Structures are given as C-alpha cells and as structure tokens.
Amino acid sequence: MSGKRALKAVLVDLSGTLHIEDTAVAGAQEALHRLRQAAVAVRFVTNTTKECKRNLLERLQRLNFDLQEEEIFTSLSAARRLLEQNQQRPLLLVEDSALEDFAGLDTSDPNAVVVGLAPEHFNYQTLNTAFRLVLEGAPLVAVHKARYYQRGDGLALGPGPFVTALEYATGRSATVVGKPQESFFTQVLSELGCSPGEAVMIGDDARDDVGGAQKAGMMGILVRTGKYRAGDESKISPPPYLTCDSFPDAVEHLLKNLL
C-alpha cells in the first residue's frame, strides 16, 4: 500500500457494502458521515436493478444514510442512456419496481432486449421471446452480468447467468453497461472532473467493483460484507489495493492514509 496521494473522489457500492436489503452494515452511517467531513467527493455507484433510483434512495434514507438522488449512479441509468442514444425500443426484463427509470421510452414492437435482475420475469416464455428477438438481430443489453448477489436469506442468482444463457443460445454477445465496464466508472469521474488515479472504489464484489475500478485506473478496496466470500481477493489480478472487514474499516484507512 502506498502513502498519501491526491485523492479527490471515493466511489461507494451500495448493496452489500452499505446495506443488505433493509439492514445497514454495522457502523456504515457514521462512517459515511466521517468520510463526508473530508475534502473529497463521494458518489454511490450501483448495479442494483431490482428497484428504481427513487425507491433505492428512499430505502437508504429510511436507514439514516445521508445521500441525495443526484449522487447515485446506477446501471439502469446507463442502460437508458444507451437506448436513447440508439433510439431503440426495448423489451425490458427488469423488475416492475425498476420500470420507473425507463418511463417515457417507447416499448412497442421491441427492437432491443435489456436484461437486469428480474426474478418474476425469468420464465421460459419471456426468455424465449427475448431469445427470438436477439436471434432476429435485436441488440442484447445487459444492465450488468453479476453472477450472484447477497439477499437477506443468502446468496441469489444475479442477471449474469440469464444473459449468458441468451448469449449461448443466440451466438450473440451482450453489451454490458454497468460495473465492471470501464465506461461506467469513467463517466462518473468525468462528471466530477477527476482522473482515475485520483479516485478509489469501495465494494463487496471483487470482480465488478474492485477489478473493474482497478482496470479503469482507480484503486479498489474490497470489503468482507455482502456477497464477499473467503478468497475472493485472489480471484482478480492485480489484487485489491486493500481488503478489509467492512465499509467503516475502509473509511478509517482512507482517513488515516489517503486523506
């Protein structure tokens, strides 16, 4: 680990890092408050696709986290931007609670397929409709390809296995818009006027949070909460800048060594 450097931004994952469903990670609210006292920009970057940004914000505020909607960057927003840029009409495989983030888009006669986390819609009929559209040439857009995530009752399948199934069946590759795509991180940093070398990412996903951030030129801190499992830090190269027990420990390290 290096000494002090000019750190200008801290990007923080949400689910599994600050909270798990309706339970906050112990000490996370106070740690966020301490981080905000430092001279550094804080943004929240999430692949969460099971609810719209407004619902997510309300959930976090109920847990007494101090954050604003404009500080949250989601993979759903990135997917919407791509659809608008390409003037596409999507078949949306996302939870009903996430549809608000696509309000106003034309979804009639779909010519693109968007896959997020949609447990209620991952059935044969819906997936077969998506399969036929992609086979006929519709672009396949993955909001992200996480293999799994942490729920209150344990690990659960993410959208990645379902995206991969469609890729396998059609022979087409999906465009991924969320973490770990470099463009997802750099867009957030560009809005802050910050270079990757001046930023750090904190998250519970070794591949999507830490690995993606480090490939984009940032530092990555892996926390042992949420979906983390023993040995995850060895699954990426280079390994995380730091692996620690939780978000409060990560903040403590930043305040003592990098801010």
Side-chain angles (χ1 to χ4, degrees):
M1 294 183 293
S2 60
K4 283 187 179 286
R5 58 191 286 178
L7 192 65
K8 293 183 179 179
V10 179
L11 307 190
V12 184
D13 174 54
L14 291 174
S15 179
T17 301
L18 291 187
H19 72 106
I20 297 170
E21 295 186 337
D22 289 319
T23 302
V25 168
Q29 298 98 325
E30 175 59 26
L32 178 58
H33 177 73
R34 292 182 64 206
L35 182 60
R36 286 196 182 279
Q37 307 310 305
V40 64
V42 181
R43 292 295 183 269
F44 306 92
V45 292
T46 178
N47 274 348
T48 295
T49 64
K50 59 181 179 291
E51 57 190 345
C52 65
K53 185 189 290 189
R54 180 179 58 81
N55 288 348
L56 176 61
L57 175 65
E58 290 174 356
R59 179 196 297 264
L60 291 163
Q61 290 179 337
R62 284 196 302 270
L63 295 174
N64 295 317
F65 283 106
D66 174 24
L67 72 167
Q68 304 301 317
E69 184 172 354
E70 60 270 17
E71 296 177 314
I72 302 174
F73 291 78
T74 75
S75 51
L76 290 174
S77 301
R80 180 182 180 120
R81 281 192 294 271
L82 180 65
L83 293 169
E84 290 176 331
Q85 288 169 3
N86 295 332
Q87 298 182 324
Q88 291 165 336
R89 304 180 304 277
L91 171 68
L92 295 167
L93 273 65
V94 299
E95 283 284 70
D96 293 344
S97 56
L99 289 174
E100 181 178 308
D101 284 353
F102 295 96
L105 289 182
D106 183 3
T107 57
S108 63
D109 189 22
N111 60 2
V113 174
V114 175
V115 182
L117 184 63
E120 300 303 316
H121 301 295
F122 285 152
N123 56 63
Y124 186 87
Q125 181 176 346
T126 304
L127 288 169
N128 200 49
T129 299
F131 159 73
R132 289 176 175 176
L133 282 170
V134 175
L135 203 60
E136 292 168 0
L140 176 60
V141 179
V143 181
H144 62 93
K145 289 183 74 175
R147 302 175 183 192
Y148 49 85
Y149 69 104
Q150 182 70 33
R151 291 194 318 202
D153 61 353
L155 292 178
L157 284 173
F162 300 93
V163 175
T164 301
L166 289 171
E167 289 179 318
Y168 174 75
T170 62
R172 309 286 173 82
S173 296
T175 298
V176 184
V177 295
K179 296 178 291 185
Q181 296 304 112
E182 181 177 345
S183 58
F184 184 82
F185 294 103
T186 55
Q187 181 176 354
V188 179
L189 296 178
S190 67
E191 293 187 15
L192 294 173
C194 174
S195 71
E198 300 169 318
V200 62
M201 172 76 207
I202 304 173
D204 67 319
D205 189 315
R207 292 186 178 92
D208 289 357
D209 292 330
V210 177
Q214 293 189 158
K215 286 182 180 178
M218 302 168 58
M219 290 184 295
I221 297 179
L222 180 65
V223 292
R224 300 187 185 97
T225 54
K227 72 193 301 182
Y228 172 86
R229 291 297 181 268
D232 279 357
E233 54 267 59
S234 66
K235 294 178 180 178
I236 60 172
S237 181
Y241 159 79
L242 175 70
T243 301
C244 56
D245 284 341
S246 66
F247 177 70
D249 297 308
V251 170
E252 184 70 20
H253 176 85
L254 293 180
L255 294 176
K256 285 185 176 180
N257 298 280
L258 297 175
L259 293 170

